[in-house]
Amino acid sequence: MAPMSETQTVTTSTEHKTLPSYEEIRRAIPAQCWEKSLPKSLFYLVLDFAILGGLYYAVPYIEGYAGWTGLLVWYWFMGMFGSSLFCIGHDCGHGTFSNYTWVNDFFGHVAHAPILAPYFPWQKSHRQHHSYTSHLDKDRGHPWVTEDDHIDRDWLSRNLAKLPISGLFRWNPIYTFVGLPDGSHFWPYSKLFTNNRERIQCVISGVACACCALFAFHLCNYSVYTFIKYYYVPLLFQGLWLVMITYLQHQSESIEVYEEGTWNYVKGQVQTIDRYYGFGMDTALHHITDGHVAHHFFFTKIPHYHLLEATEAIKKVLAPYPGAYKRRTQFDFLLEYLRLNVKLEYLIGKGTGILMYALPENQDKIKKKN
């Protein structure tokens, strides 16, 4: 029998592998994608503040000519560009803003405190989400709901996410302030923190947020109505954008969630979905939407401005594995977010190692996988 060629060997190996290794994916990333540029990061930080400043400058004219309709449109764009600013702080929290930890932490507070996002506490909870993406029990920030969990919940807990208006409140105050499900990001003795260093960091980030809120209150001439209308409501829309973006990155009818013993890092990360919103929004949002798979694989190493280049490299590595790279063109992203919140209620398959959403088409898939 003739010896097997190198090409045949690779093909046969690929057929028997369900996914590439982390090292295979890492080697495919171009060297320049690992480079962090402080001047470039600062440019994007200043740009986001300038755009938000421009929107504040324009709001009297928008409201004067278009009334409440114009104000709602203004809120929508304030929410989007507030999320752009959040993404810069997001880079800081992951250490991709610059090569210096103290610089990252300083500018992380500069980006996050004005939008009332406590930097150090968020950094902790968010890192565990990245480290254990699609792990049933350890994926912090994404509470996966099983069938038993769903049955045990009260009516409001089961149906809150189905109410469109809930998206305005699920980030702030429900997640960060009240602390559902991970613990309050503002209270130093919440379950999120396990030692005094973390509690001190919580106080530092909380004080930074409080200072920004007080300064905004001063700029609003100490008017509660003005403060809520022009500061807090835009932050609610920023929270809506953040919840919507995050939800669509990790939710679909075919997503898989793994139990301990079945989960591994690569399997978890390929459950992430790149969503292309179009109309320049992906660029405005620093490609956290359409470059999220690359971000998840290398969340502490690749700055946002290299994500698309890294994405192309990852797509090539994942190409031989059908369905491994997930991407959707999502011009109707708001409708998709609302639709999935109604359709995807809870996961089935607990005890089998792999869980999927309780949909008719997933019943057989779970049986075949197990």
Side-chain angles (χ1 to χ4, degrees):
M1 183 176 178
M4 187 178 291
S5 70
E6 182 179 351
T7 303
Q8 289 173 315
T9 302
V10 171
T11 302
T12 303
S13 174
T14 301
E15 287 173 352
H16 284 85
K17 289 174 62 179
T18 56
L19 287 171
S21 68
Y22 173 82
E23 189 59 28
E24 287 178 82
I25 299 170
R26 188 193 65 78
R27 287 198 302 264
I29 304 299
Q32 61 270 23
C33 290
W34 312 114
E35 296 174 0
K36 305 169 188 178
S37 168
L38 179 56
K40 189 173 289 188
S41 295
L42 287 171
F43 166 78
Y44 287 111
L45 176 66
V46 172
L47 176 65
D48 287 342
F49 272 120
I51 292 171
L52 289 168
L55 285 168
Y56 268 115
Y57 178 81
V59 68
Y61 304 100
I62 294 171
E63 192 175 8
Y65 284 107
W68 278 99
T69 302
L71 192 63
L72 283 172
V73 173
W74 181 77
Y75 284 148
W76 183 252
F77 282 99
M78 283 294 293
M80 185 179 79
F81 285 105
S83 293
S84 301
L85 181 61
F86 181 91
C87 289
I88 299 301
H90 177 263
D91 268 14
C92 294
H94 285 308
T96 57
F97 186 86
S98 78
N99 290 309
Y100 309 100
T101 301
W102 73 269
V103 172
N104 296 333
D105 292 344
F106 175 79
F107 285 107
H109 282 87
V110 169
H112 274 188
I115 53 177
L116 303 188
Y119 172 79
F120 281 131
W122 164 84
Q123 183 185 50
K124 181 187 179 183
S125 62
H126 189 63
R127 180 161 295 205
Q128 185 154 335
H129 157 60
H130 273 280
S131 300
Y132 294 99
T133 306
S134 282
H135 189 295
L136 179 63
D137 302 311
K138 297 180 181 179
D139 188 353
R140 192 178 291 275
H142 289 74
W144 300 108
V145 179
T146 65
E147 186 173 11
D148 291 340
D149 297 332
H150 183 73
I151 292 171
D152 290 341
R153 288 181 162 188
D154 56 46
W155 184 91
L156 182 61
S157 299
R158 286 198 303 269
N159 294 283
L160 178 64
K162 297 178 184 179
L163 304 174
I165 198 171
S166 70
L168 290 168
F169 307 101
R170 281 158 65 181
W171 166 251
N172 180 346
I174 291 176
Y175 181 64
T176 59
F177 191 79
V178 177
L180 297 176
D182 295 333
S184 175
H185 289 55
F186 285 96
W187 176 241
Y189 291 97
S190 79
K191 65 181 180 180
L192 180 60
F193 311 110
T194 58
N195 57 63
N196 287 334
R197 181 175 184 272
E198 292 175 351
R199 295 184 183 102
I200 291 170
Q201 288 180 328
C202 172
V203 171
I204 292 170
S205 296
V207 168
C209 291
C211 289
C212 288
L214 287 171
F215 183 64
F217 192 46
H218 167 72
L219 293 178
C220 293
N221 293 319
Y222 303 101
S223 165
V224 174
Y225 174 77
T226 304
F227 177 83
I228 292 174
K229 182 178 180 181
Y230 294 112
Y231 184 66
Y232 190 63
V233 174
L235 293 186
L236 293 181
F237 275 82
Q238 184 266 319
L240 170 62
W241 270 90
L242 186 59
V243 168
M244 177 171 58
I245 291 167
T246 305
Y247 185 86
L248 291 176
Q249 287 162 349
H250 299 286
Q251 305 285 357
S252 77
E253 288 91 342
S254 60
I255 212 75
E256 293 180 357
V257 179
Y258 304 99
E259 294 179 287
E260 185 69 28
T262 307
W263 180 91
N264 66 47
Y265 186 80
V266 173
K267 286 168 69 174
Q269 304 308 348
V270 297
Q271 297 310 311
T272 305
I273 306 164
D274 281 347
R275 304 264 186 179
Y276 174 70
Y277 289 21
F279 307 105
M281 286 182 283
D282 306 282
T283 300
L285 290 163
H286 305 306
H287 299 294
I288 203 64
T289 48
D290 59 343
H292 205 65
V293 173
H295 169 63
H296 254 260
F297 269 109
F298 307 105
F299 60 94
T300 63
K301 301 186 182 301
I302 300 181
H304 75 266
Y305 41 81
H306 291 317
L307 286 177
L308 291 191
E309 190 175 359
T311 296
E312 291 304 312
I314 290 172
K315 284 168 63 175
K316 292 176 183 177
V317 179
L318 295 180
Y321 306 90
Y325 175 68
K326 299 174 177 61
R327 185 181 190 274
R328 308 281 189 276
T329 297
Q330 209 71 68
F331 300 138
D332 60 341
F333 56 91
L334 177 59
L335 294 177
E336 181 71 353
Y337 162 74
L338 297 173
R339 182 184 74 84
L340 290 180
N341 268 281
V342 172
K343 186 175 183 180
L344 307 181
E345 290 191 298
Y346 57 86
L347 300 164
I348 55 174
K350 189 171 183 180
T352 67
I354 301 175
L355 295 87
M356 300 185 76
Y357 276 106
L359 303 171
E361 62 267 30
N362 287 339
Q363 301 278 354
D364 291 337
K365 290 180 181 179
I366 291 178
K367 291 177 182 178
K368 289 178 182 178
K369 288 178 180 293
N370 296 284

